[in-house]
Structure formats: C-alpha cells, structure tokens
Amino acid sequence: MKPILFAAALVVAISLNAQNAETYVNKREETHLCGPVTITDLMNHGDGWYQQHYDDFETLQESHPWKKELKDTQVDIYLGSWCGDSKNWVPQFVHLWDELGLDRDQLNIIALYDGDEKYKQGPNHEEKGLDIHRVPTFIFKEDGQEIGRIVEFPSTDLETDLAQIALGYPSAPNYHAATYFQDLLAEKSISEIYEDANAHFYKVYKKVSKSSELNTLGYVMLRSDRVDEALLVFNFNTYLFRHEPNVYDSYGEALTIKGDTVNAIKCYEKVLELDSANENAVQQLALLKTESENQ
C-alpha cells in the first residue's frame, strides 16, 4: 500500500503546485507576480497591500441601479504587483465589484513584468495588441468586444466610471496623447504620419501635460520590438518638451537600438547641453563615438 499512498501524495503535490501563481525576480531582487493570477494570489503577495486597500474602499453612491447592466460583462485587469497604482486601485475595484454583487468569475487578472527587457509584458504576451501602456488597465468586454476601459486610475471615481461603462457612455481613458498616437498608428503608416507632422503635433500638444506620458508609451513600444513606432513617439516628445534632457536620452536610446549612430550621438550631445552632469549621456556618447570610429 505504501507505493500507492506515495503516488497519491505526489499527484496532490503536483496539483497544488500547478495552481501556484508564476513569479519572477526583478533587478532589485524583488519577487513579483506574472501571468494569469487569482485574487487569492494578490492577497498572498507582498506585505498585505491587497487587503489594506480592499478594506479602505468606501462607496460614494447609496444605490447602483446600473449594476444589472454588468451581469454579462467580462473585465480583463492588467496590473503590476510592483506598481503602486495597481496596488491601490485593483483591490478597491474588486471591493466595489463585490459590493455590487457581481461574480468574481467575470474578472480575469493578468500580472505584467517590470524591467527593461519585458517592460509591461506578460510571460505569454497576454497584453499583445491591446495597447497596454499603463497599469492597472481595466478592459471591459461584452461578447468579446471592448466596451470601455479605465487606464491607471478612474477619470472621475470608480463608481462613476463604472456606471458610465455600464450605461454605454464610457469616459475617454486617461492619457489622451498616448491614446491619440495608438489610434493614429492603427490607422496610418509612419510615413503618412510624418507627412502631416505639424497637424499631429498641434493636436497632441493640446492633449499632453507631461513628457512621461509619451516617454512611457515609447518604452512600451521599444521593449516589444516596435522600434520604428517608438522612434516616432520619442521624436514627437523631443519637440513637445524640447527643454527636458530625458526626452533626448530616450530618443537616443531608441536610435542606438535602430543602429542610427549619427543621430543618437546628436541626441546625447543635446542631453549634455541641457544637463552637463548627466552620466548616462557621457557613457553612451563615449561608446557611440568609439563605435563610429571603428566602423
């Protein structure tokens, strides 16, 4: 009987192990979640952040007559267990979902990587084609079709944003300039965009408030091998925020990856013109000039 008992125990152990969430260790030697995860996985991760923010949430509305419109809605939630906004908003969203009496089985949660190589990507590229550039991103779907999304934080508040989606009048997602470029690249080629660059510049100028909006979008594209799209976004950012050294640093990095050494050097020289103590620019310039001399 002992071999049978051992085999049974082994099957149970394998089954339990298969249910464990996938994790990885980042450059800071922190362990984080990646890929599909459950609410239990979130509860068990870290220092109790999930339960803390779940308990902190309080509803603002006395009644939610629109909740019945969400009974067949699926919500795909993309988060980073390394991300403060994800730690804040995902537990609050689940609390609201619970309070509305909706089924947790309607929620699909996917954790994305941080870091340079797989920036905001899933282990099986679960985010591919979905224009995820900020986390958390909540994508609401009916019959497989997107009907609205919340990007990073609510446009108004969670209840109002959710009510608007339920009633068919979703708010425009946050980060309007990033959305503009995502929509534009879905409709036009890069050469077509450059042909009308001035018009696009003035449209984006009215939508963007900080250089980090397009810088983040550019890096998401760069790390997912969409180098030409990243170059477009970084290039526009240098005109929108021409006095910020970081935008030239990012553009220079993308140009280096593209193999455009001449223009990468110009970018890093611009960084030093604006910030003479920038160590990364000094290092990159030295490498690029050596490479150029050896060609």
Side-chain angles (χ1 to χ4, degrees):
M1 291 297 290
K2 286 184 179 180
I4 297 174
L5 289 173
F6 175 77
L10 182 61
V11 169
V12 171
I14 292 172
S15 176
L16 288 173
N17 187 58
Q19 295 174 16
N20 290 340
E22 188 174 346
T23 61
Y24 71 100
V25 178
N26 66 12
K27 286 184 177 180
R28 296 183 296 278
E29 298 186 354
E30 301 166 340
T31 300
H32 287 293
L33 301 168
C34 59
V37 297
T38 66
I39 291 173
T40 300
D41 295 326
L42 300 182
M43 292 176 66
N44 292 335
H45 180 266
D47 57 1
W49 55 265
Y50 178 88
Q51 197 62 49
Q52 176 187 340
H53 290 291
Y54 183 95
D55 293 340
D56 284 346
F57 180 76
E58 295 181 3
T59 54
L60 301 173
Q61 303 171 17
E62 292 184 3
S63 63
H64 305 88
W66 41 265
K67 66 184 181 182
K68 63 182 182 296
E69 305 297 334
L70 295 170
K71 63 182 179 64
D72 296 318
T73 302
Q74 175 183 319
V75 188
D76 294 340
I77 304 172
Y78 294 84
L79 60 81
S81 63
W82 40 267
C83 165
D85 287 299
S86 294
K87 292 179 179 181
N88 181 30
W89 289 110
V90 172
Q92 292 192 60
F93 179 86
V94 176
H95 187 146
L96 175 58
W97 197 259
D98 288 343
E99 196 152 317
L100 295 173
L102 296 166
D103 195 334
R104 286 187 174 187
D105 287 342
Q106 295 170 249
L107 308 178
N108 299 316
I109 307 174
I110 302 94
L112 306 181
Y113 294 112
D114 64 346
D116 292 340
E117 294 183 2
K118 297 181 179 180
Y119 186 49
K120 294 180 182 174
Q121 299 176 38
N124 296 303
H125 297 288
E126 292 88 346
E127 83 301 333
K128 190 172 183 179
L130 297 174
D131 290 332
I132 307 293
H133 63 100
R134 294 275 176 165
V135 288
T137 291
F138 303 83
I139 300 178
F140 298 79
K141 298 191 296 188
E142 287 187 359
D143 298 322
Q145 299 297 313
E146 181 174 337
I147 61 170
R149 68 172 60 191
I150 297 172
V151 177
E152 196 171 63
F153 54 89
S155 296
T156 307
D157 60 72
L158 273 178
E159 288 166 88
T160 301
D161 281 23
L162 198 52
Q164 290 174 326
I165 291 169
L167 296 171
Y169 300 98
S171 296
N174 296 314
Y175 301 105
H176 300 166
T179 301
Y180 180 84
F181 272 112
Q182 288 172 324
D183 292 343
L184 191 61
L185 285 162
E187 297 170 4
K188 297 180 181 295
S189 68
I190 291 174
S191 60
E192 288 174 327
I193 294 170
Y194 273 124
E195 286 173 5
D196 204 13
N198 285 340
H200 296 308
F201 172 85
Y202 286 112
K203 288 180 181 178
V204 173
Y205 180 80
K206 296 176 182 178
K207 297 175 182 292
V208 69
S209 59
K210 295 181 180 180
S211 62
S212 57
E213 176 174 355
L214 295 182
N215 217 49
T216 296
L217 176 63
Y219 272 113
V220 168
M221 292 172 169
L222 189 64
R223 301 311 182 208
S224 56
D225 298 322
R226 298 159 62 190
V227 179
D228 290 333
E229 293 182 7
L231 285 167
L232 173 78
V233 172
F234 286 140
N235 190 9
F236 268 87
N237 218 21
T238 63
Y239 287 96
L240 290 162
F241 299 94
R242 60 181 67 240
H243 300 298
E244 295 189 20
N246 189 52
V247 299
Y248 297 97
D249 185 277
S250 299
Y251 191 27
E253 182 178 345
L255 287 165
T256 301
I257 291 172
K258 182 68 175 178
D260 188 347
T261 303
V262 173
N263 285 312
I265 288 173
K266 291 179 181 178
C267 277
Y268 286 116
E269 288 176 340
K270 184 65 176 180
V271 173
L272 291 177
E273 180 184 321
L274 296 169
D275 177 14
S276 59
N278 191 297
E279 294 182 3
N280 182 64
V282 171
Q283 293 171 0
Q284 295 304 318
L285 265 178
L287 290 170
L288 288 166
K289 288 182 177 179
T290 300
E291 178 183 325
S292 181
E293 291 169 357
N294 293 333
Q295 286 180 348

